[in-house]
């Protein structure tokens, strides 16, 4: 929830907004590509933040469409935003990838089947990197401040994942042979 909290609080730093504006900002920024935020979860975050006193309802507007609640940041919300942002900038979070758990239990797969699965993952990552680079090119004229670095961060992470998958595919026969004998390969690739 802290990513959604930080996004909502950060969006309201610029002044009061209604929920649809915040949701639209998340869609335009394509936050789901570079955060764990699901755009649909923002309304729930708004309600929780109101209940906790981090934001407040300032009015309800109704033009041609449905009524829209306008929210503003409270002093407590501004303090929470600063604390969340600063903590996030200090902390390093590398989430475990479930592929590691799946590999732990892949002993029953034939080498060609495992190779195909890992190859498909690598190819999907290559396709994602290609799409990400295209998005960066499209966004380039609109990027300001530190925004280019957020694109570069995702690019670097995708490249690292692709390199890891290629390394795994290269070492797969040796690793599986060692697994069959219940031994780990040495740094030189020999069995001990």
């Amino acid at each position: 929830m802290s990513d959604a909290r930080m996004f909502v609080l950060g969006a309201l730093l610029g002044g009061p907004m209604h929920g649809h504006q915040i949701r639209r900002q998340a869609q335009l920024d394509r936050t789901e590509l570079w955060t764990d935020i699901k755009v649909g979860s923002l309304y729930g975050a708004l309600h929780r933040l109101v209940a906790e006193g981090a934001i407040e309802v300032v009015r309800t507007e109704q033009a041609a469409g449905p009524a829209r609640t306008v929210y503003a940041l409270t002093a407590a919300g501004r303090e929470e935003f600063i604390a969340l942002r600063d903590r996030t900038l200090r902390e390093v979070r590398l989430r475990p990838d479930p592929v590691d758990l799946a590999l732990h239990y892949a002993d029953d797969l034939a080498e060609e089947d495992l190779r195909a699965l890992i190859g498909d993952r690598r190819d999907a990552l290559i396709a994602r990197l290609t799409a990400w680079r295209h998005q960066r090119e499209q966004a380039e004229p609109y990027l300001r401040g530190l925004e280019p670095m957020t694109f570069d961060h995702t690019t670097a992470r995708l490249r690292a994942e692709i390199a890891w998958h290629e390394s795994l595919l290269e070492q797969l026969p040796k690793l599986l042979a060692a697994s069959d004998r219940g031994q780990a390969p040495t740094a030189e690739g020999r069995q001990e």
Side-chain angles (χ1 to χ4, degrees), residues 58-182:
V58 291
R59 67 183 174 276
T60 301
E61 298 175 345
Q62 185 162 10
R68 299 190 189 268
T69 304
V70 178
Y71 302 92
L73 198 59
T74 64
R78 183 176 299 278
E79 288 177 20
E80 181 177 349
F81 170 78
I82 291 168
L84 281 170
R85 182 201 57 205
D86 292 355
R87 184 176 70 222
T88 301
L89 288 171
R90 281 191 304 274
E91 289 179 357
V92 174
R93 291 189 301 175
L94 293 176
R95 291 185 176 95
D97 188 334
V99 73
D100 297 323
L101 181 60
L103 285 172
H104 182 74
Y105 293 108
D107 289 340
D108 63 325
L109 290 173
E111 180 180 341
E112 59 272 7
D113 294 335
L114 184 55
R115 179 173 295 284
L117 290 167
I118 299 301
D120 288 348
R121 282 180 55 88
R122 181 211 45 216
D123 294 346
L125 287 162
I126 291 170
R128 189 174 287 182
L129 177 59
T130 300
W132 187 252
R133 286 178 173 156
H134 178 71
Q135 286 178 336
R136 163 113 193 200
E137 289 172 14
Q138 297 296 314
E140 189 70 36
Y142 310 102
L143 298 178
R144 61 190 191 287
L146 296 171
E147 289 174 341
M149 291 307 295
T150 63
F151 274 94
D152 293 348
H153 189 207
T154 298
T155 299
R157 293 173 74 188
L158 287 167
R159 284 183 183 152
E161 280 294 318
I162 292 165
W164 179 84
H165 281 74
E166 288 174 348
S167 177
L168 175 58
L169 288 168
E170 180 182 312
Q171 296 179 49
L172 197 57
K174 175 177 59 176
L175 294 168
L176 291 175
S179 175
D180 289 342
R181 293 193 266 291

Side-chain angles (χ1 to χ4, degrees), residues 34-51:
W34 47 274
T35 68
D36 286 338
I37 298 170
K38 304 295 180 235
V39 175
S41 71
L42 293 175
Y43 288 108
L46 283 167
H47 296 296
R48 283 187 292 277
L49 289 165
V50 167

